[in-house]
Amino acid sequence: QVQLVQSGAEVKKPGASVKVSCKASGYTFSNNGITWVRQAPGQGLEWMGWINGYNGDTNYAQKLQGRVTLTTDTSTSTAYLEVRSLRSDDTAFYYCARDQFGGGHNARFDPWGQGTLVTVSS
Amino acid sequence: DIQMTQSPSSLSASVGDRVTISCRASQTISSSLNWYQQRPGKAPKLLIYVASSLQGGVPSRFSGSGSGTDFTLTISSLQAEDFATYYCQQSYSNPRTFGQGTKVEIK
């Protein structure tokens, strides 16, 4: 079955960087994109960006542009999210999701990874 | 950015009740609207895509409707496992945006 498995929880100090992985299985990785969404504790969902699994094209949320980089390794069907210059308000669960028809009006996110908690604290 | 506004923010209902959640977009988004369910401590799960299409494996008591700026998620007969938070999300343009969520609680 289609599955996304994310890397484990991280604790980082302010100013540091974090890299979260998302390994896909059960489908052809290059046929779909990957979207990243984060959720601060007790808060709603925030779209961070999207990467095309075929050619690596990306689209980022403007507020995160410059601090976030999305990449993929097609040889291992793995997507990566890197966030730099971490601040306390980056503390959140970070989710990856398969993005069917990414970039188009019919895009939807399914399934989702289990989430990775990133805690930023001094 | 397109703003998505859900109402109500929370509601209390009993098992067997019919529940309706509304989602309004700040500009027209055609039918580019998805609904997700998030149970406590779990990742979101896709329920409805393109406003009214039921995702595979999702019970038929869930339905979606609407187009343009106004959309509705309906649960025809609430079950115990449906107590969760529901989010709408638009895919009409970037950045993709979510509603603030509607928490469905047990009465």
Side-chain angles (χ1 to χ4, degrees):
Chain A
Q1 76 282 18
V2 178
Q3 193 174 10
L4 300 175
V5 178
Q6 299 183 222
S7 49
E10 303 262 12
V11 179
K12 296 290 183 181
K13 293 193 182 305
S17 298
V18 69
K19 194 167 187 177
V20 178
S21 67
C22 169
K23 183 170 176 60
S25 61
Y27 72 100
T28 303
F29 184 76
S30 58
N31 283 356
N32 296 113
I34 295 285
T35 272
W36 289 87
V37 172
R38 71 178 179 179
Q39 184 174 38
Q43 302 301 307
L45 302 170
E46 179 186 15
W47 181 83
M48 301 180 69
W50 165 84
I51 185 164
N52 185 316
Y54 176 70
N55 60 15
D57 282 350
T58 54
N59 198 303
Y60 297 104
Q62 191 166 12
K63 69 173 280 191
L64 297 170
Q65 195 123 23
R67 287 206 302 133
V68 169
T69 301
L70 302 182
T71 56
T72 59
D73 180 346
T74 54
S75 68
T76 61
S77 298
T78 302
Y80 297 93
L81 162 72
E82 182 181 29
V83 185
R84 297 176 294 280
S85 302
L86 286 164
R87 309 186 293 242
S88 58
D89 62 356
D90 290 318
T91 293
F93 283 93
Y94 288 77
Y95 294 100
C96 62
R98 182 179 64 165
D99 189 334
Q100 295 181 281
F101 309 104
H105 292 333
N106 292 335
R108 58 257 199 183
F109 313 147
D110 176 72
W112 295 56
Q114 83 275 20
T116 297
L117 177 61
V118 175
T119 303
V120 183
S121 174
S122 54
Chain B
D1 297 2
I2 297 175
Q3 201 162 14
M4 307 301 293
T5 304
Q6 290 182 231
S7 60
S9 296
S10 65
L11 64 91
S12 295
S14 301
V15 171
D17 284 352
R18 182 183 182 86
V19 168
T20 299
I21 299 169
S22 297
C23 176
R24 174 166 287 178
S26 60
Q27 64 187 74
T28 184
I29 58 170
S30 186
S31 295
S32 300
L33 191 282
N34 305 314
W35 289 97
Y36 301 87
Q37 175 195 65
Q38 186 177 32
R39 296 185 176 119
K42 299 295 186 182
K45 171 188 170 184
L46 177 67
L47 297 177
I48 302 286
Y49 62 94
V50 196
S52 60
S53 295
L54 192 68
Q55 176 69 353
V58 174
S60 59
R61 62 181 179 273
F62 291 93
S63 64
S65 64
S67 67
T69 60
D70 292 303
F71 301 86
T72 300
L73 174 70
T74 299
I75 309 172
S76 60
S77 177
L78 197 67
Q79 300 301 301
E81 60 267 30
D82 302 336
F83 292 97
T85 300
Y86 294 83
Y87 294 92
C88 61
Q89 172 257 321
Q90 64 82 17
S91 287
Y92 188 78
S93 67
N94 286 314
R96 310 314 197 184
T97 45
F98 291 88
Q100 81 278 17
T102 295
K103 187 173 184 179
V104 177
E105 299 175 301
I106 301 172
K107 181 183 278 186

